[in-house]
Amino acid sequence: MKQIINFLTIAFIFVFLQSCSNQLIRVACVGDSITEGDGLKDRANEAYPAILSQLLDKHYKVINLGQSGATLIKKGDWPYWNKIAYKNALAIEPNVFIILLGANDSKPQNIPAHMGDFISDLREMVDNFQQLSSHPRIYLCTPIPAFANRFNISDAVLISDVIPAVQKVASEKNCKIIDLHTAFQNRTDILGDGVHPNKQGAAEIAKYISSQIK
């Protein structure tokens, strides 16, 4: 009898913990190296999703699904669609998506070579996420500004192509916009190489995104 009671107690605790886990608000941070944390000494703890996890309350679980070099464009040189991060984004069925893509799309071989693809592919990605059974809230981020850099990432293309596409799709699909480009204009101090946030920059981005979610 004692063994049965112990088994039932353990089973109850397991079910209870599982129930608590299911109640967590899962936040998926979809993005490129800016999300993954390239250039940071301890990206697991210093990338913006890790800081965001600390800023949100205990009811949130933040998952970093950044993929360095990724493009949103399917015909781009490193499509996010083909990466395990995208498959994980669908599999975990988040309650909230934060999409921060577009920097790598501004390279000459991407948007300039495939005009019009960014907005159509962004529509498709949002559609795919909105069809999940978790019915997630989706936040579309405008990319942070790009300054002089060695990666061929163009702020001019971000302004002329990426940001208008993000704004249009957000309006069409009833998504919220997090305008990182405006928020961090002229902030060369937080971008060590002109593109990737340093430790301070990642913390400030996380703080800004947290304020928009809350």
Side-chain angles (χ1 to χ4, degrees), residues 147-164:
F147 301 101
N149 64 87
R150 59 185 174 83
F151 308 103
N152 291 323
I153 292 174
S154 168
D155 196 59
V157 175
L158 295 181
I159 292 170
S160 65
D161 291 84
V162 173
I163 293 174

Side-chain angles (χ1 to χ4, degrees), residues 33-200:
S33 56
I34 293 169
T35 297
E36 190 172 10
D38 274 18
L40 298 171
K41 291 182 179 179
D42 183 8
R43 66 175 65 180
N45 294 301
E46 295 177 354
Y48 98 73
I51 306 301
L52 180 63
S53 180
Q54 298 171 17
L55 295 173
L56 297 175
D57 64 41
K58 63 182 180 181
H59 300 296
Y60 289 84
K61 178 176 178 59
V62 180
I63 303 110
N64 189 336
L65 295 175
Q67 185 73 59
S68 293
T71 65
L72 187 138
I73 295 178
K74 287 184 172 182
K75 294 178 182 177
D77 57 353
W78 201 250
Y80 190 83
W81 305 80
N82 300 339
K83 309 305 173 188
I84 189 65
Y86 176 67
K87 296 177 176 62
N88 289 339
L90 297 173
I92 63 178
E93 298 219 351
N95 307 105
V96 177
F97 276 101
I98 300 169
I99 302 176
L100 176 52
L101 287 165
N104 294 304
D105 295 270
S106 72
K107 296 176 181 178
Q109 66 268 31
N110 295 318
I111 281 179
H114 303 285
M115 293 300 294
D117 283 13
F118 185 89
I119 190 167
S120 60
D121 290 346
L122 179 57
R123 284 193 187 102
E124 183 177 346
M125 181 174 285
V126 170
D127 283 341
N128 291 349
F129 290 160
Q130 287 183 332
Q131 290 168 11
L132 294 173
S133 61
S134 57
H135 306 295
R137 283 182 289 146
I138 298 178
Y139 294 85
L140 298 182
C141 299
T142 60
I144 59 175
F147 301 101
N149 64 87
R150 59 185 174 83
F151 308 103
N152 291 323
I153 292 174
S154 168
D155 196 59
V157 175
L158 295 181
I159 292 170
S160 65
D161 291 84
V162 173
I163 293 174
V166 168
Q167 293 169 336
K168 185 171 179 58
V169 173
S171 177
E172 293 173 355
K173 305 296 183 181
N174 197 29
C175 300
K176 296 181 181 296
I177 290 181
I178 299 178
D179 190 0
L180 297 178
H181 195 275
T182 299
F184 294 98
Q185 279 185 341
N186 304 317
R187 292 297 308 276
T188 56
D189 58 305
I190 67 167
L191 302 176
D193 57 10
V195 171
H196 299 99
N198 55 26
K199 184 177 179 179
Q200 176 191 347

